Amino acid sequence: MQFLFLRAMKPHVIFLLTSMILFTVGCEGDDHDHDEHTDADGFILEDGSGTEVYREFEGAVEGAVNLSVGDTLELSVHFLDHDGNEIEHEEEEKDELSVSENDSNVAVVEIEEHEEEHHEMAIHVIGVNVGSTSFKLQLMHDGHADYTSTNNVALIVN
């Protein structure tokens, strides 16, 4: 009876040990530096004059993006740490922005391409038709999101 119990447990123990080994050494051989991840708790969107248009911090939201049909609004994106302070973006970091869940019939939201002398993260919002929509913002790093907005960013086109 005792041997049947041990024999039944053997496959489960082997699976558990194999899983633990794979989990602990899974990232050992890659060239990915895990210290490069951005640990953000929110972000702000600022217009060209430096005025804060939208803020999300620890799930709380202030503001909305407003523009008129035919207008293009450039907004810089600044991520916030756990104290609400801006996280400095290093030039050698390979982080990219991603936008999703947007109704392009109301407004188009585009990611600004990085230029050598201009490394700030930014988006362009183009008013297409009167209405409201929203979008989700993500900070991508090596194919996965280091940060995803808790709420969709409200966008109103007049």
Side-chain angles (χ1 to χ4, degrees):
M1 181 77 143
Q2 185 179 21
F3 293 117
L4 290 175
F5 177 73
L6 290 174
R7 202 175 306 163
M9 289 296 295
K10 187 176 179 180
H12 298 291
V13 171
I14 291 171
F15 176 75
L16 179 64
L17 290 174
T18 304
S19 298
M20 288 174 44
I21 290 169
L22 289 174
F23 180 75
T24 56
V25 298
C27 293
E28 195 172 283
D30 67 14
D31 294 332
H32 184 73
D33 184 0
H34 292 280
D35 293 335
E36 291 179 13
H37 290 269
T38 303
D39 186 21
D41 287 316
F43 67 97
I44 59 175
L45 300 176
E46 290 181 348
D47 65 14
S49 66
T51 303
E52 186 176 299
V53 174
Y54 182 89
R55 171 186 287 262
E56 177 181 294
F57 181 64
E58 295 180 338
V61 171
E62 295 176 24
V65 177
N66 292 288
L67 72 159
S68 299
V69 173
D71 284 354
T72 298
L73 184 60
E74 182 176 336
L75 300 171
S76 59
V77 181
H78 306 277
F79 289 92
L80 305 173
D81 65 15
H82 66 278
D83 293 324
N85 299 317
E86 182 179 345
I87 298 171
E88 293 298 321
H89 184 77
E90 301 295 327
E91 286 191 31
E92 61 273 357
E93 288 182 20
K94 297 176 182 122
D95 296 335
E96 295 179 357
L97 292 175
S98 174
V99 172
S100 62
E101 301 180 22
N102 170 247
D103 182 356
S104 60
N105 292 317
V106 176
V108 174
V109 182
E110 301 173 331
I111 306 302
E112 181 179 275
E113 296 297 321
H114 291 296
E115 300 171 9
E116 289 299 319
E117 69 278 352
H118 184 255
H119 195 71
E120 184 177 75
M121 293 186 176
I123 59 173
H124 295 145
V125 182
I126 304 164
V128 177
N129 286 304
V130 174
S132 63
T133 184
S134 63
F135 63 92
K136 185 169 288 295
L137 185 71
Q138 291 183 310
L139 178 63
M140 304 298 290
H141 180 84
D142 276 349
H144 67 274
D146 274 359
Y147 177 81
T148 300
S149 57
T150 308
N151 304 284
N152 283 7
V153 178
L155 198 137
I156 301 163
V157 180
N158 301 308

